[in-house]
């Protein structure tokens, strides 16, 4: 505990504490955003203990496709930011439409419209296919590019929870340590 000698020193320390208090909401929001983005890097949620995210059901195709979970082009990770930071409350979040289902998990059951698109040409390898109890031999050929017309498709997908936003004991302890250090610095000036 610091000792105060004189009224001027007391008011100087109180001003330092008030200045630290005013800066804290933005600093806390920055720490919380960094904590959330670290979840993407570590591929896990950290509360009392680290809990790894469930693995991908199927490996992504393509030599240069990242196998990192929840990161394809990086929009979800980049969209995590401070929404509100004031003395009453601090809110961080994202505006990505799919963020909640990725964070909490759940099932999507709906019919979606697939817009018209072009399938590009590719080379198909020779393989065997089972159909109606018999084996068909498929020859290696080149499939030409063609236009797929707009159509509707039924979706029934279960997405596992891969938490990156929410309350965490580890984040809480980190924030408490930061607040204590800020006030200690202010009092020891």
């Amino acid at each position: 505990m610091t000792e105060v000698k004189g009224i001027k020193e007391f008011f100087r320390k109180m001003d330092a504490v008030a200045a630290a208090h005013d800066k804290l909401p933005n600093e806390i929001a920055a720490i919380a955003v960094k904590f959330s983005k670290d979840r993407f890097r570590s591929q896990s949620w950290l509360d009392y203990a680290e809990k790894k995210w469930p693995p991908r059901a199927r490996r992504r195709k393509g030599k240069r496709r990242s196998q990192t979970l929840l990161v394809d082009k990086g929009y979800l990770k980049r969209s995590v930011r401070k929404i509100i930071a004031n003395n009453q409350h601090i809110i961080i979040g994202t505006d990505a439409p799919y963020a909640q289902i990725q964070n909490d998990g759940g099932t999507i059951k709906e019919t979606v419209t697939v817009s018209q698109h072009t399938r590009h040409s590719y080379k198909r390898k020779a393989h065997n296919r089972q159909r109606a109890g018999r084996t068909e031999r498929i020859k290696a050929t080149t499939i030409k590019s063609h236009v797929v017309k707009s159509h509707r498709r039924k979706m029934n997908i279960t997405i596992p929870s891969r938490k990156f936003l929410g309350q965490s004991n580890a984040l809480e302890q980190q924030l408490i340590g930061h607040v204590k250090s800020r006030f200690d610095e202010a009092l020891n000036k």
Side-chain angles (χ1 to χ4, degrees), residues 95-123:
D95 60 351
Y98 50 88
Q100 184 174 6
I101 192 117
Q102 292 290 359
N103 192 51
D104 302 335
T107 302
I108 301 172
K109 287 184 181 182
E110 60 185 65
T111 304
V112 295
T113 301
V114 179
S115 57
Q116 179 176 319
H117 59 280
T118 303
R119 291 243 169 168
H120 299 287
S121 62
Y122 64 94
K123 291 186 179 184

Side-chain angles (χ1 to χ4, degrees), residues 1 4 6 11 13 17 23 36-37 44 63 74-75 83 85 90 94 97 99 109 111 113 115 125 131 144 154 161 189:
M1 195 80 186
V4 178
F11 282 116
K13 286 187 185 276
V17 167
K23 292 178 186 176
S36 180
K37 290 185 178 190
S44 62
K63 290 180 181 176
Y75 177 74
I83 308 288
I90 298 164
T94 175
K109 287 184 181 182
T111 304
T113 301
S115 57
K125 294 180 181 178
R131 186 175 263 190
K144 295 180 180 173
K154 287 185 179 178
S161 173
K189 277 187 175 182

Side-chain angles (χ1 to χ4, degrees), residues 36-166:
S36 180
K37 290 185 178 190
D38 285 344
R39 302 305 99 225
F40 288 91
R41 288 183 204 100
S42 69
Q43 303 286 293
S44 62
W45 179 246
L46 183 59
D47 195 8
Y48 290 99
E50 189 173 36
K51 182 183 176 201
K52 287 282 186 193
W53 288 345
R56 186 181 308 284
R58 279 179 259 140
R59 187 167 172 77
R60 284 185 179 166
K61 294 180 181 178
K63 290 180 181 176
R64 297 196 172 136
R65 295 291 302 268
S66 169
Q67 299 304 316
T68 305
L69 297 168
L70 297 188
V71 179
D72 187 17
K73 294 183 173 58
Y75 177 74
L76 180 60
K77 182 178 174 181
R78 282 192 317 272
S79 72
V80 175
R81 63 182 174 279
K82 169 184 75 171
I83 308 288
I84 296 173
N86 57 38
N87 291 332
Q88 283 74 39
H89 53 275
I90 298 164
I91 299 173
I92 66 164
T94 175
D95 60 351
Y98 50 88
Q100 184 174 6
I101 192 117
Q102 292 290 359
N103 192 51
D104 302 335
T107 302
I108 301 172
K109 287 184 181 182
E110 60 185 65
T111 304
V112 295
T113 301
V114 179
S115 57
Q116 179 176 319
H117 59 280
T118 303
R119 291 243 169 168
H120 299 287
S121 62
Y122 64 94
K123 291 186 179 184
R124 178 171 62 189
K125 294 180 181 178
H127 63 281
N128 293 327
R129 177 172 59 188
Q130 294 288 332
R131 186 175 263 190
R134 59 190 173 92
T135 303
E136 288 182 44
R137 179 78 180 143
I138 307 295
K139 293 181 181 178
T141 58
T142 300
I143 307 297
K144 295 180 180 173
S145 62
H146 59 282
V147 174
V148 178
K149 293 181 181 177
S150 178
H151 61 281
R152 295 176 64 74
R153 172 182 294 148
K154 287 185 179 178
M155 286 181 66
N156 187 4
I157 278 186
T158 301
I159 297 175
S161 173
R162 294 187 173 108
K163 198 165 177 91
F164 58 92
L165 282 173

